[in-house]
Amino acid sequence: MLTRQISLKRGVTVKAANISNDKEIQEALTELEIPHPRTVIVLVGGAGGIGFLDKFPMKKAVGIVAQLAEESGCVVVDGGTQAGIMTEIGVQRKKNKFTFPLVGVVFDALLMKEEPASILDANHTHFLLIPGDDWGAESSWISKIATAIAGGEKSLTVLVNGGNISRSDVEYSLMENRPTAVMRGTGRLADDITLTGNVFAIDISEKPDRILEVLKAKL
């Protein structure tokens, strides 16, 4: 395992760890000083491909997730790049001066192709760089890392918008027995995914306080 500081936009430097296997996850959490065990929210969904009409409900949903994380003392885990819901959760954290840890999980080959500052979201607080060569390689790792952070505490996956990779994200969460809240009304996969077992829907047209109440009941 390798730990280092990564330079991002606006002069921001962020702690990161390269890990190569499951056994290194706990060591990385300790080295990066990511609080654990701690209640976890896994945020998955739209990166590219979010339609114009879906942007407002997406922003509303992610804003509620950020508020939930702050009020519940959660760690948030996502894909960590400058795209879609990952950018938005970073914006919400910075704009509201929230303090919850925001952990990005990114496949390390991506940073060999482009500069980290052009890929990683500078409003994230930590990054775990995992093996992989293409988009989707991070799906299983996001789920495993979230489980490791949670320890014996509860965790929750929230799906906002999303495409094919997001379907894998949800499947891996279900393998970890993690309930998944689907934000209906945010577009694409979130509006089409079948509700089974631990997957339940929340209508984004509901009042934010009501949505927050439903999510808090799962943590």
Side-chain angles (χ1 to χ4, degrees), residues 18 24 33 36 41 64 68 74 81 83 94 105 107 120 139 146 150 152 166 177 206-207:
N18 285 76
E24 294 181 336
E33 299 180 305
H36 63 286
I41 299 170
I64 292 168
L68 173 66
C74 297
T81 59
K94 181 179 181 182
V105 179
F107 62 96
L120 303 181
S139 293
S166 302
N177 295 314
E206 294 272 357
K207 292 182 178 180

PDB file of all heavy atoms in Angstrom, residues 18 24 33 36 41 64 68 74 81 83 94 105 107 120 139 146 150 152 166 177 206-207:
ATOM      1  N   ASN A  18      -3.082   4.141  -2.461  1.00  0.00           N
ATOM      2  CA  ASN A  18      -3.206   3.100  -3.477  1.00  0.00           C
ATOM      3  C   ASN A  18      -3.283   1.756  -2.764  1.00  0.00           C
ATOM      4  O   ASN A  18      -2.403   1.423  -1.974  1.00  0.00           O
ATOM      5  CB  ASN A  18      -1.991   3.094  -4.403  1.00  0.00           C
ATOM      6  CG  ASN A  18      -2.009   4.235  -5.386  1.00  0.00           C
ATOM      7  OD1 ASN A  18      -1.723   5.371  -5.030  1.00  0.00           O
ATOM      8  ND2 ASN A  18      -2.339   3.933  -6.632  1.00  0.00           N
ATOM      9  N   GLU A  24      -5.718  -4.618   2.411  1.00  0.00           N
ATOM     10  CA  GLU A  24      -5.136  -3.296   2.615  1.00  0.00           C
ATOM     11  C   GLU A  24      -6.166  -2.215   2.926  1.00  0.00           C
ATOM     12  O   GLU A  24      -5.799  -1.089   3.246  1.00  0.00           O
ATOM     13  CB  GLU A  24      -4.311  -2.893   1.391  1.00  0.00           C
ATOM     14  CG  GLU A  24      -3.092  -3.761   1.184  1.00  0.00           C
ATOM     15  CD  GLU A  24      -2.258  -3.358  -0.014  1.00  0.00           C
ATOM     16  OE1 GLU A  24      -2.805  -2.721  -0.942  1.00  0.00           O
ATOM     17  OE2 GLU A  24      -1.051  -3.661  -0.018  1.00  0.00           O
ATOM     18  N   GLU A  33      -6.710   8.381   8.043  1.00  0.00           N
ATOM     19  CA  GLU A  33      -7.487   8.927   9.160  1.00  0.00           C
ATOM     20  C   GLU A  33      -8.956   9.134   8.792  1.00  0.00           C
ATOM     21  O   GLU A  33      -9.579  10.125   9.159  1.00  0.00           O
ATOM     22  CB  GLU A  33      -6.863  10.241   9.654  1.00  0.00           C
ATOM     23  CG  GLU A  33      -5.431  10.064  10.160  1.00  0.00           C
ATOM     24  CD  GLU A  33      -4.821  11.369  10.633  1.00  0.00           C
ATOM     25  OE1 GLU A  33      -4.809  12.342   9.854  1.00  0.00           O
ATOM     26  OE2 GLU A  33      -4.361  11.394  11.785  1.00  0.00           O
ATOM     27  N   HIS A  36     -13.650   5.368  11.357  1.00  0.00           N
ATOM     28  CA  HIS A  36     -14.297   4.069  11.250  1.00  0.00           C
ATOM     29  C   HIS A  36     -14.152   3.361  12.598  1.00  0.00           C
ATOM     30  O   HIS A  36     -13.168   3.594  13.311  1.00  0.00           O
ATOM     31  CB  HIS A  36     -13.683   3.242  10.113  1.00  0.00           C
ATOM     32  CG  HIS A  36     -12.229   2.905  10.334  1.00  0.00           C
ATOM     33  ND1 HIS A  36     -11.212   3.829  10.205  1.00  0.00           N
ATOM     34  CD2 HIS A  36     -11.613   1.730  10.679  1.00  0.00           C
ATOM     35  CE1 HIS A  36     -10.043   3.257  10.446  1.00  0.00           C
ATOM     36  NE2 HIS A  36     -10.254   1.987  10.756  1.00  0.00           N
ATOM     37  N   ILE A  41     -22.929   6.394   4.021  1.00  0.00           N
ATOM     38  CA  ILE A  41     -23.826   6.542   2.872  1.00  0.00           C
ATOM     39  C   ILE A  41     -23.007   6.307   1.616  1.00  0.00           C
ATOM     40  O   ILE A  41     -21.972   6.950   1.413  1.00  0.00           O
ATOM     41  CB  ILE A  41     -24.461   7.941   2.806  1.00  0.00           C
ATOM     42  CG1 ILE A  41     -25.297   8.219   4.053  1.00  0.00           C
ATOM     43  CG2 ILE A  41     -25.324   8.077   1.544  1.00  0.00           C
ATOM     44  CD1 ILE A  41     -25.758   9.661   4.163  1.00  0.00           C
ATOM     45  N   ILE A  64     -30.036  16.699  -0.323  1.00  0.00           N
ATOM     46  CA  ILE A  64     -30.638  16.009   0.822  1.00  0.00           C
ATOM     47  C   ILE A  64     -29.665  14.967   1.387  1.00  0.00           C
ATOM     48  O   ILE A  64     -29.539  14.819   2.608  1.00  0.00           O
ATOM     49  CB  ILE A  64     -31.970  15.355   0.414  1.00  0.00           C
ATOM     50  CG1 ILE A  64     -33.012  16.451   0.116  1.00  0.00           C
ATOM     51  CG2 ILE A  64     -32.487  14.417   1.497  1.00  0.00           C
ATOM     52  CD1 ILE A  64     -34.265  15.944  -0.562  1.00  0.00           C
ATOM     53  N   LEU A  68     -28.232  14.866   5.128  1.00  0.00           N
ATOM     54  CA  LEU A  68     -28.352  13.640   5.916  1.00  0.00           C
ATOM     55  C   LEU A  68     -26.998  13.229   6.483  1.00  0.00           C
ATOM     56  O   LEU A  68     -26.888  12.876   7.671  1.00  0.00           O
ATOM     57  CB  LEU A  68     -28.908  12.520   5.033  1.00  0.00           C
ATOM     58  CG  LEU A  68     -28.943  11.118   5.643  1.00  0.00           C
ATOM     59  CD1 LEU A  68     -29.926  11.059   6.801  1.00  0.00           C
ATOM     60  CD2 LEU A  68     -29.305  10.087   4.572  1.00  0.00           C
ATOM     61  N   CYS A  74     -22.267  10.879   9.162  1.00  0.00           N
ATOM     62  CA  CYS A  74     -21.890   9.790   8.261  1.00  0.00           C
ATOM     63  C   CYS A  74     -20.613  10.096   7.483  1.00  0.00           C
ATOM     64  O   CYS A  74     -20.237  11.245   7.289  1.00  0.00           O
ATOM     65  CB  CYS A  74     -22.998   9.536   7.234  1.00  0.00           C
ATOM     66  SG  CYS A  74     -24.559   8.986   7.923  1.00  0.00           S
ATOM     67  N   THR A  81     -15.010  11.505  -8.972  1.00  0.00           N
ATOM     68  CA  THR A  81     -14.545  12.270 -10.128  1.00  0.00           C
ATOM     69  C   THR A  81     -15.347  13.559 -10.329  1.00  0.00           C
ATOM     70  O   THR A  81     -16.349  13.800  -9.656  1.00  0.00           O
ATOM     71  CB  THR A  81     -14.617  11.422 -11.412  1.00  0.00           C
ATOM     72  OG1 THR A  81     -15.965  11.002 -11.627  1.00  0.00           O
ATOM     73  CG2 THR A  81     -13.710  10.211 -11.306  1.00  0.00           C
ATOM     74  N   ALA A  83     -17.735  14.798 -12.069  1.00  0.00           N
ATOM     75  CA  ALA A  83     -18.865  14.486 -12.939  1.00  0.00           C
ATOM     76  C   ALA A  83     -20.124  14.285 -12.116  1.00  0.00           C
ATOM     77  O   ALA A  83     -20.085  13.693 -11.045  1.00  0.00           O
ATOM     78  CB  ALA A  83     -18.575  13.218 -13.754  1.00  0.00           C
ATOM     79  N   LYS A  94     -19.040  21.847   0.274  1.00  0.00           N
ATOM     80  CA  LYS A  94     -18.290  23.095   0.383  1.00  0.00           C
ATOM     81  C   LYS A  94     -19.214  24.289   0.637  1.00  0.00           C
ATOM     82  O   LYS A  94     -18.961  25.110   1.515  1.00  0.00           O
ATOM     83  CB  LYS A  94     -17.478  23.327  -0.886  1.00  0.00           C
ATOM     84  CG  LYS A  94     -16.643  24.599  -0.835  1.00  0.00           C
ATOM     85  CD  LYS A  94     -15.838  24.794  -2.106  1.00  0.00           C
ATOM     86  CE  LYS A  94     -15.006  26.064  -2.017  1.00  0.00           C
ATOM     87  NZ  LYS A  94     -14.236  26.297  -3.265  1.00  0.00           N
ATOM     88  N   VAL A 105     -13.545   6.798  -4.565  1.00  0.00           N
ATOM     89  CA  VAL A 105     -12.891   5.539  -4.918  1.00  0.00           C
ATOM     90  C   VAL A 105     -12.724   5.515  -6.432  1.00  0.00           C
ATOM     91  O   VAL A 105     -13.710   5.521  -7.177  1.00  0.00           O
ATOM     92  CB  VAL A 105     -13.721   4.327  -4.450  1.00  0.00           C
ATOM     93  CG1 VAL A 105     -13.033   3.024  -4.835  1.00  0.00           C
ATOM     94  CG2 VAL A 105     -13.960   4.393  -2.937  1.00  0.00           C
ATOM     95  N   PHE A 107     -10.314   4.056  -9.962  1.00  0.00           N
ATOM     96  CA  PHE A 107      -9.324   3.088 -10.422  1.00  0.00           C
ATOM     97  C   PHE A 107      -8.041   3.808 -10.829  1.00  0.00           C
ATOM     98  O   PHE A 107      -8.061   4.830 -11.502  1.00  0.00           O
ATOM     99  CB  PHE A 107      -9.866   2.193 -11.542  1.00  0.00           C
ATOM    100  CG  PHE A 107     -10.281   2.879 -12.811  1.00  0.00           C
ATOM    101  CD1 PHE A 107      -9.413   2.958 -13.888  1.00  0.00           C
ATOM    102  CD2 PHE A 107     -11.558   3.426 -12.936  1.00  0.00           C
ATOM    103  CE1 PHE A 107      -9.793   3.564 -15.078  1.00  0.00           C
ATOM    104  CE2 PHE A 107     -11.953   4.043 -14.118  1.00  0.00           C
ATOM    105  CZ  PHE A 107     -11.070   4.110 -15.192  1.00  0.00           C
ATOM    106  N   LEU A 120     -10.092  14.216 -10.613  1.00  0.00           N
ATOM    107  CA  LEU A 120     -10.642  14.059  -9.264  1.00  0.00           C
ATOM    108  C   LEU A 120     -11.310  15.339  -8.782  1.00  0.00           C
ATOM    109  O   LEU A 120     -10.844  16.449  -9.061  1.00  0.00           O
ATOM    110  CB  LEU A 120      -9.536  13.654  -8.293  1.00  0.00           C
ATOM    111  CG  LEU A 120      -8.758  12.383  -8.642  1.00  0.00           C
ATOM    112  CD1 LEU A 120      -7.711  12.090  -7.570  1.00  0.00           C
ATOM    113  CD2 LEU A 120      -9.692  11.197  -8.820  1.00  0.00           C
ATOM    114  N   SER A 139     -16.804  -0.338  -8.884  1.00  0.00           N
ATOM    115  CA  SER A 139     -18.096  -0.675  -8.276  1.00  0.00           C
ATOM    116  C   SER A 139     -17.973  -1.614  -7.074  1.00  0.00           C
ATOM    117  O   SER A 139     -18.519  -1.351  -6.002  1.00  0.00           O
ATOM    118  CB  SER A 139     -19.029  -1.300  -9.315  1.00  0.00           C
ATOM    119  OG  SER A 139     -19.396  -0.353 -10.293  1.00  0.00           O
ATOM    120  N   ALA A 146     -17.000   0.740   1.716  1.00  0.00           N
ATOM    121  CA  ALA A 146     -18.086   1.249   2.556  1.00  0.00           C
ATOM    122  C   ALA A 146     -18.385   0.300   3.708  1.00  0.00           C
ATOM    123  O   ALA A 146     -18.597   0.728   4.856  1.00  0.00           O
ATOM    124  CB  ALA A 146     -19.335   1.472   1.717  1.00  0.00           C
ATOM    125  N   ALA A 150     -18.007   1.117   7.714  1.00  0.00           N
ATOM    126  CA  ALA A 150     -19.166   0.969   8.608  1.00  0.00           C
ATOM    127  C   ALA A 150     -18.851   0.051   9.787  1.00  0.00           C
ATOM    128  O   ALA A 150     -19.302   0.299  10.910  1.00  0.00           O
ATOM    129  CB  ALA A 150     -20.363   0.432   7.830  1.00  0.00           C
ATOM    130  N   GLY A 152     -19.490  -2.335  12.361  1.00  0.00           N
ATOM    131  CA  GLY A 152     -20.772  -2.811  12.875  1.00  0.00           C
ATOM    132  C   GLY A 152     -21.887  -1.780  12.787  1.00  0.00           C
ATOM    133  O   GLY A 152     -23.010  -2.048  13.222  1.00  0.00           O
ATOM    134  N   SER A 166     -24.162   2.140 -12.707  1.00  0.00           N
ATOM    135  CA  SER A 166     -24.909   2.317 -11.460  1.00  0.00           C
ATOM    136  C   SER A 166     -25.689   1.063 -11.094  1.00  0.00           C
ATOM    137  O   SER A 166     -25.879   0.762  -9.909  1.00  0.00           O
ATOM    138  CB  SER A 166     -25.874   3.505 -11.578  1.00  0.00           C
ATOM    139  OG  SER A 166     -25.180   4.677 -11.894  1.00  0.00           O
ATOM    140  N   ASN A 177     -25.679  -6.760   1.716  1.00  0.00           N
ATOM    141  CA  ASN A 177     -26.897  -6.592   2.525  1.00  0.00           C
ATOM    142  C   ASN A 177     -27.134  -5.137   2.911  1.00  0.00           C
ATOM    143  O   ASN A 177     -27.656  -4.848   3.998  1.00  0.00           O
ATOM    144  CB  ASN A 177     -26.842  -7.477   3.783  1.00  0.00           C
ATOM    145  CG  ASN A 177     -26.840  -8.944   3.447  1.00  0.00           C
ATOM    146  OD1 ASN A 177     -27.627  -9.399   2.618  1.00  0.00           O
ATOM    147  ND2 ASN A 177     -25.952  -9.702   4.062  1.00  0.00           N
ATOM    148  N   GLU A 206     -41.395  14.764  -3.204  1.00  0.00           N
ATOM    149  CA  GLU A 206     -41.773  14.971  -1.801  1.00  0.00           C
ATOM    150  C   GLU A 206     -40.973  16.135  -1.213  1.00  0.00           C
ATOM    151  O   GLU A 206     -39.910  16.514  -1.721  1.00  0.00           O
ATOM    152  CB  GLU A 206     -41.470  13.704  -0.987  1.00  0.00           C
ATOM    153  CG  GLU A 206     -42.302  12.506  -1.348  1.00  0.00           C
ATOM    154  CD  GLU A 206     -43.608  12.435  -0.580  1.00  0.00           C
ATOM    155  OE1 GLU A 206     -43.839  13.322   0.288  1.00  0.00           O
ATOM    156  OE2 GLU A 206     -44.395  11.528  -0.841  1.00  0.00           O
ATOM    157  N   LYS A 207     -41.469  16.701  -0.123  1.00  0.00           N
ATOM    158  CA  LYS A 207     -40.744  17.780   0.542  1.00  0.00           C
ATOM    159  C   LYS A 207     -39.420  17.256   1.103  1.00  0.00           C
ATOM    160  O   LYS A 207     -39.344  16.123   1.578  1.00  0.00           O
ATOM    161  CB  LYS A 207     -41.591  18.365   1.672  1.00  0.00           C
ATOM    162  CG  LYS A 207     -42.822  19.114   1.186  1.00  0.00           C
ATOM    163  CD  LYS A 207     -43.598  19.705   2.349  1.00  0.00           C
ATOM    164  CE  LYS A 207     -44.813  20.490   1.844  1.00  0.00           C
ATOM    165  NZ  LYS A 207     -45.602  21.074   2.964  1.00  0.00           N
TER     166      LYS A 207
END
